[in-house]
Amino acid sequence: MAVELMCPKASSVRKSRAVINSEAEFEIECQSPKSSSIEDSRLVMDGEHECQSQNASSLDKSQVEVDGEECQTPKISHVNKYEIDIEFGPESQSTNALIDDISRAGVSIKDEEDVYLVPQVGVEFESEEHAYKCYSRYAVKEGFSIRKDFVNKSRINGAVVSRRYTCYKQGYRPAKHNTIMKKPRQETRTGCLAHMTITRQSNGKFRVSHFETKHNHEFVTSCTTHMLPSLKRLAFAEAVQADLANNAEMHGVPKLGMGFESEEHAYEFYNTYAGRVGFSVRKDYVNRSKIDGAVASRRFTCFREGFRQRDKRDMNVKRPRKETRIGCLAQLVISRQPDGVYRVTHFEEKHNHELVAACRVHMLRSQKKFVGAQVVDGNSVDSSNIEPKSNPDLICKKVKDSDGRSYGPIDLKSRLPSKRTREMREGEAGKMQQYFQTKQSKNSSFFYAMQPDADDQITNVFWADTKMVMDYSDFGDVVCLDTTYRLYKDCRPFAPFIGINHHKQMVIFGAALLYDETIESYKWLFQTFMEAMSGKRPKTILTDQDAVVAEAIRLILPETHHRISVWHVYQNALKQLGYMVAGSSCFANDFSRCFFDHEEEEDFISAWNAMLDAYNLWENEWLHDVFEDREKWALAYRRHIFCADIISVLLCESFTTNLKKYLKCDSDVLQLLKHLAKVVNDWHYKELEANYDMTQHPPKLMGDVILLKQARDIYTPQIFELFQQEFETCLNIIVNQCTENGPLLEYKVSIFGQQREYAVTFKSSDKTVSCDCMKFEFVGVLCCHALKVLDYRNIKLLPTQYILKRWTKNARV
């Protein structure tokens, strides 16, 4: 079989040596994989099933009937974000050149790249899920569907050692004895042996160890490809991705992948649509979970669906009822997903009968109920449909830009007194304006503003969608203004407002393109940001070392604590000391530890001096100036300012770096705007995954401790792990001294074997405790020293004043 490759960048495919991983011990299990893919969601279409272990628990275990098939909901640990694209473009010119390479050496395929590749023995994938996606795309192109078969897991750590994906016609359907089925299902399995087996290597990647291409059945034709279960799942995944990306108010015609909070919400939406079109809705079959009885899937049909069954009594009826059912196939099918959202899995729009005129719609049965409900709730107001009041500061006046076009809305109240300092590309402002207007037409809550300069040219732009505003309302206590784009001269002046949620995941509150970096521009930016967020001010804002930004914050946000981000200082330092990084293999690690690993002043100063001595940097003036301002940025200082541990998140993921290729000035600005929207959507879906995992996989306790049980029930898993680490450390802390000072008790504690002592103050009247390490004030989680004193005072439950809502499971409630 020829090798076919469809890849946006040929450089994304690289050679790697074939190394076969050998596990000391592993067990072979025939089980349902803990899938991270939407393909293993609640619906298995056209009789495609997975081999499932006897003890595998199901999230739902309700029988779902789709297209005449029954399936059982598999156990799901989390749902993968929907990043599946089906493209059947021309073959790459590099295909022939890769055939020999694949036969001689392994080919490593990165998961983040959008790659189509014909599987071959020796091809490597970043993960088993990526291998599944590649094989699934190949199968759809060829004309067959695939299923996940057996999986081998290590007995040592439970990691997947090998896995096999087979053709959907593999094996034979097991015979069921003593069962009489009125409508037996069509036989789909033919014992096909086509499959692909992958094996985990020592480097963590998965390599194709066996690939069988021969099938014992014909492939589907192009006109019936849409019936393949794999393609149905891919289409559903793409539809869900589009629904999440649009993030718009639900209106108009139902679409595949559209989500609803409940089945009643879905019914009301479909019934409203039916009223506009001209038909009545009937609730058809419903599948319920055998565990909790909740609805797993439901179908709503047209009132003329099916045919009336014959009844012997009809012969004696003098006035038979009028026949209304004529086999109409119009319907809407919803299915509950692992995140609890009901999504449209099938929608048939066409009817085989004439629709009711608008003047008679109110006579339809489902519309009568809908109108009656409106009358009962006539005094209630849906705030979601209330249009926001117009902003008097944003005057819709036509302002010309350098390309001769006119734009609005323009913030004329904060016009720059001078010309902007950085030029836009021709037509750039027009493209942004059109993009923002389109977004606002779909969702009136979308916010954007443009600032003109003295020549009535667009100079600065800010925007925030509904999700950004919602994130800020829940987690806007700490904001980081990221202006690291200035490290790259050829990049657009991009400035996002970043924060973290209760899972310690990055979120974005808004973004700006600043073509002028004067104090007036930053004052306008902060004013506009506050306006978009309904005037709610952050407790803490972190920025780069910039006197202009600091002055603007002092004038616009005087009550907000301003702190220089140590991460920004570190990024600037790497730029200044690039020659040191290139000349020494260990300098970068030592330099990073000096910045981020020391929370005590003495430790930080000692590490800084040791770093200067080791690399002979005492004469570096830039480092000298930075050290003089250490109290503004170093983690050992100003710990009374709450920062929500945002630095650790910034270290793990650089937001600007991921956007760098879209920030290039020679690229289309629309690519930046669209990619940013995709990034925000991906982050939102990661939160949904974390929410689901939080309910299904609670973190393990280090012991049967009441305090830990309480914390696990309250905190998100990420915060609980941080809390449990502090509790574990507290077990090694000893109380050295206790003195009474009025109503306060002062304790001196230290870690066993260490000389450093910490002062902990306790007030028994209200169970307040404070430590001079100020971890709670800085991060929002009690330190090990305070936990030791609480335990010493026989307080076995965490006082409520030390549970920050932003770190709890109910942070968004």
Side-chain angles (χ1 to χ4, degrees):
M1 182 175 293
V3 178
E4 298 181 19
L5 178 66
M6 186 171 69
C7 178
K9 294 183 179 180
S11 62
S12 65
V13 181
R14 65 178 186 272
K15 299 179 182 179
S16 63
R17 293 182 301 172
V19 180
I20 304 300
N21 180 46
S22 59
E23 285 285 349
E25 299 181 27
F26 64 88
E27 61 180 357
I28 301 178
E29 302 174 7
C30 186
Q31 66 180 28
S32 173
K34 296 182 179 179
S35 175
S36 61
S37 171
I38 186 63
E39 290 85 356
D40 298 321
S41 181
R42 297 184 175 278
L43 292 181
V44 180
M45 302 184 180
D46 287 351
E48 179 172 352
H49 300 275
E50 291 187 276
C51 190
Q52 188 171 359
S53 65
Q54 295 178 355
N55 59 353
S57 62
S58 173
L59 176 68
D60 195 317
K61 291 188 177 179
S62 60
Q63 296 298 321
V64 182
E65 184 177 355
V66 180
D67 295 339
E69 301 286 331
E70 289 186 355
C71 65
Q72 194 169 20
T73 307
K75 180 176 181 181
I76 301 174
S77 60
H78 63 284
V79 183
N80 188 24
K81 59 184 179 181
Y82 310 120
E83 296 182 0
I84 306 176
D85 296 323
I86 306 176
E87 296 181 5
F88 302 127
E91 296 181 359
S92 171
Q93 295 178 356
S94 61
T95 301
N96 295 332
L98 284 175
I99 297 177
D100 295 335
D101 293 339
I102 293 175
S103 62
R104 292 193 302 267
V107 177
S108 178
I109 308 300
K110 292 185 177 181
D111 197 5
E112 63 269 18
E113 296 293 338
D114 186 13
V115 175
Y116 168 77
L117 183 71
V118 175
Q120 292 285 342
V121 174
V123 174
E124 284 188 351
F125 299 95
E126 291 293 322
S127 64
E128 56 169 324
E129 188 56 35
H130 187 221
Y132 176 80
K133 289 181 182 178
C134 181
Y135 191 38
S136 182
R137 295 185 187 183
Y138 159 77
V140 169
K141 185 176 177 64
E142 291 295 319
F144 67 97
S145 187
I146 67 172
R147 124 177 354 107
K148 292 182 179 180
D149 198 22
F150 78 82
V151 58
N152 297 336
K153 292 187 177 181
S154 169
R155 291 183 177 179
I156 300 176
N157 55 12
V160 173
V161 176
S162 64
R163 180 182 285 282
R164 182 173 65 190
Y165 307 109
T166 65
C167 173
Y168 75 126
K169 289 182 175 290
Q170 172 266 348
Y172 298 92
R173 181 181 297 166
K176 295 183 179 180
H177 301 286
N178 300 326
T179 58
I180 301 176
M181 301 180 64
K182 296 181 179 180
K183 296 181 180 180
R185 290 184 296 171
Q186 182 181 1
E187 183 59 53
T188 58
R189 301 198 180 191
T190 62
C192 181
L193 299 178
H195 68 277
M196 182 179 77
T197 304
I198 57 174
T199 306
R200 184 164 60 90
Q201 307 300 301
S202 58
N203 58 3
K205 298 181 180 180
F206 287 84
R207 174 170 296 176
V208 178
S209 58
H210 193 273
F211 180 55
E212 178 57 51
T213 60
K214 295 182 179 179
H215 297 257
N216 66 350
H217 57 89
E218 295 182 356
F219 292 157
V220 300
T221 60
S222 58
C223 60
T224 57
T225 302
H226 66 281
M227 298 297 294
L228 286 175
S230 292
L231 190 55
K232 287 184 178 181
R233 291 194 299 270
L234 291 175
F236 175 67
E238 286 185 322
V240 173
Q241 181 185 22
D243 181 69
L244 294 175
N246 292 334
N247 195 24
E249 297 178 355
M250 291 186 297
H251 59 276
V253 180
K255 296 180 181 179
L256 185 69
M258 182 178 290
F260 301 94
E261 297 177 357
S262 64
E263 56 157 335
E264 285 301 323
H265 188 199
Y267 173 77
E268 292 173 4
F269 177 81
Y270 189 51
N271 195 38
T272 303
Y273 158 76
R276 290 196 303 268
V277 174
F279 67 96
S280 184
V281 175
R282 174 188 296 122
K283 293 183 179 180
D284 198 20
Y285 78 76
V286 59
N287 297 327
R288 296 185 180 273
S289 169
K290 294 181 179 179
I291 299 176
D292 56 5
V295 173
S297 64
R298 180 182 279 280
R299 180 170 63 190
F300 307 111
T301 64
C302 173
F303 73 124
R304 311 199 77 172
E305 174 268 344
F307 298 92
R308 182 184 299 169
Q309 296 181 353
R310 293 185 177 182
D311 194 326
K312 297 179 179 179
R313 294 174 297 178
D314 291 345
M315 299 177 59
N316 302 323
V317 175
K318 297 180 178 180
R319 297 180 179 179
R321 289 184 299 167
K322 183 180 179 181
E323 182 62 55
T324 57
R325 299 196 180 193
I326 57 175
C328 181
L329 298 178
Q331 59 183 283
L332 179 78
V333 180
I334 59 172
S335 175
R336 188 181 62 178
Q337 303 304 307
D339 58 359
V341 177
Y342 288 84
R343 295 199 175 274
V344 177
T345 56
H346 181 68
F347 173 58
E348 177 57 51
E349 183 178 6
K350 296 181 180 180
H351 298 258
N352 65 350
H353 56 89
E354 293 184 0
L355 300 175
V356 177
C359 60
R360 292 189 175 184
V361 167
H362 67 280
M363 300 179 65
L364 296 173
R365 176 173 296 184
S366 68
Q367 302 306 319
K368 286 181 180 180
K369 296 179 181 179
F370 185 71
V371 173
Q374 286 183 324
V375 173
V376 173
D377 299 332
N379 294 328
S380 63
V381 179
D382 185 4
S383 58
S384 62
N385 295 328
I386 299 177
E387 294 293 334
K389 296 181 179 180
S390 59
N391 188 346
D393 294 338
L394 292 180
I395 304 175
C396 294
K397 180 179 178 180
K398 299 298 182 180
V399 178
K400 294 184 178 180
D401 195 30
S402 56
D403 60 356
R405 299 182 182 181
S406 299
Y407 312 106
I410 307 299
D411 193 353
L412 297 177
K413 184 178 179 180
S414 302
R415 185 196 303 269
L416 280 179
S418 59
K419 183 176 175 59
R420 66 190 179 200
T421 57
R422 187 166 180 171
E423 292 296 328
M424 286 186 178
R425 291 182 63 190
E426 183 177 356
E428 194 166 79
K431 291 181 179 179
M432 286 190 290
Q433 175 77 2
Q434 185 177 4
Y435 176 82
F436 293 149
Q437 287 179 346
T438 302
K439 284 288 187 180
Q440 202 170 62
S441 65
K442 294 181 179 179
N443 191 337
S444 59
S445 298
F446 185 90
F447 180 94
Y448 76 97
M450 296 181 171
Q451 183 186 29
D453 62 7
D455 297 334
D456 280 347
Q457 295 181 351
I458 302 301
T459 182
N460 298 313
V461 182
F462 172 84
W463 69 99
D465 61 24
T466 306
K467 182 62 173 61
M468 297 177 184
V469 176
M470 291 175 56
D471 288 339
Y472 182 83
S473 66
D474 294 325
F475 308 109
D477 47 1
V478 177
V479 176
C480 178
L481 177 62
D482 186 3
T483 54
T484 52
Y485 62 86
R486 291 180 297 181
L487 299 176
Y488 315 106
K489 295 181 180 179
D490 58 340
C491 284
R492 280 192 174 89
F494 182 63
F497 291 87
I498 296 173
I500 60 173
N501 63 10
H502 54 324
H503 295 291
K504 293 185 70 174
Q505 296 171 331
M506 193 177 292
V507 293
I508 181 171
F509 302 137
L513 290 173
L514 299 176
Y515 292 88
D516 182 88
E517 296 183 83
T518 61
I519 188 171
E520 295 298 328
S521 292
Y522 281 108
K523 286 171 60 179
W524 173 86
L525 176 62
F526 293 128
Q527 288 172 343
T528 307
F529 179 69
M530 288 296 97
E531 179 184 330
M533 305 304 163
S534 302
K536 180 182 177 180
R537 300 176 182 272
K539 295 180 180 179
T540 307
I541 186 168
L542 295 90
T543 67
D544 195 359
Q545 288 177 294
D546 193 316
V548 174
V549 176
E551 179 64 15
I553 293 175
R554 186 186 68 83
L555 295 174
I556 305 302
L557 302 172
E559 299 177 358
T560 299
H561 293 292
H562 178 213
R563 184 184 179 97
I564 296 177
S565 170
V566 62
W567 180 74
H568 285 102
V569 177
Y570 176 70
Q571 294 294 318
N572 293 334
L574 291 181
K575 181 182 178 182
Q576 295 289 335
L577 301 174
Y579 65 96
M580 292 295 300
V581 177
S584 175
S585 59
C586 57
F587 173 77
N589 292 331
D590 293 342
F591 195 62
S592 175
R593 285 196 295 267
C594 183
F595 270 79
F596 303 108
D597 290 357
H598 304 288
E599 297 181 355
E600 304 296 334
E601 181 179 7
E602 296 179 3
D603 297 340
F604 169 72
I605 294 177
S606 298
W608 185 274
N609 293 334
M611 183 264 299
L612 296 180
D613 283 334
Y615 297 98
N616 194 22
L617 293 173
W618 284 100
E619 302 300 325
N620 189 293
E621 295 183 2
W622 189 88
L623 285 177
H624 176 75
D625 295 339
V626 167
F627 186 74
E628 289 296 322
D629 291 336
R630 62 187 180 278
E631 293 188 4
K632 298 180 180 179
W633 57 267
L635 298 177
Y637 302 93
R638 305 180 72 181
R639 294 182 62 81
H640 65 283
I641 299 178
F642 181 65
C643 292
D645 204 22
I646 193 173
I647 302 301
S648 63
V649 179
L650 294 175
L651 283 173
C652 297
E653 183 176 359
S654 177
F655 176 48
T656 307
T657 301
N658 295 336
L659 283 173
K660 185 178 177 182
K661 63 181 180 179
Y662 299 97
L663 294 174
K664 298 293 184 181
C665 289
D666 56 354
S667 63
D668 190 352
V669 68
L670 290 182
Q671 295 180 354
L672 168 63
L673 300 177
K674 293 178 180 180
H675 183 76
L676 179 64
K678 181 181 181 300
V679 170
V680 173
N681 178 65
D682 290 344
W683 287 352
H684 175 52
Y685 195 76
K686 287 181 180 179
E687 181 179 333
L688 295 179
E689 287 183 326
N691 288 337
Y692 176 77
D693 289 340
M694 178 173 62
T695 60
Q696 300 299 317
H697 306 286
K700 294 182 179 180
L701 297 175
M702 59 175 293
D704 188 11
V705 183
I706 297 176
L707 182 65
L708 293 181
K709 291 181 178 179
Q710 178 203 16
R712 183 177 66 174
D713 293 339
I714 296 174
Y715 288 132
T716 60
Q718 292 74 15
I719 302 304
F720 172 74
E721 292 297 342
L722 180 62
F723 179 85
Q724 187 164 237
Q725 290 175 7
E726 293 294 327
F727 181 83
E728 185 176 6
T729 306
C730 128
L731 299 178
N732 294 323
I733 291 181
I734 57 177
V735 179
N736 299 323
Q737 182 182 353
C738 177
T739 59
E740 187 173 355
N741 185 9
L744 300 179
L745 296 174
E746 296 181 356
Y747 294 87
K748 296 291 184 180
V749 301
S750 63
I751 299 178
F752 180 80
Q754 298 183 10
Q755 295 182 350
R756 171 65 192 272
E757 284 190 337
Y758 296 87
V760 182
T761 302
F762 176 77
K763 187 177 181 181
S764 58
S765 60
D766 55 4
K767 298 181 181 179
T768 57
V769 62
S770 62
C771 179
D772 59 0
C773 76
M774 295 188 178
K775 187 178 185 69
F776 178 77
E777 290 79 3
F778 192 68
V779 178
V781 175
L782 275 183
C783 63
C784 55
H785 320 110
L787 291 176
K788 180 63 179 181
V789 171
L790 290 179
D791 183 68
Y792 189 80
R793 299 293 303 179
N794 290 326
I795 298 175
K796 301 302 182 182
L797 292 177
L798 195 62
T800 56
Q801 61 265 36
Y802 299 110
I803 301 174
L804 296 187
K805 183 181 178 182
R806 67 130 37 243
W807 291 137
T808 65
K809 297 177 180 179
N810 299 324
R812 288 193 180 272
V813 177

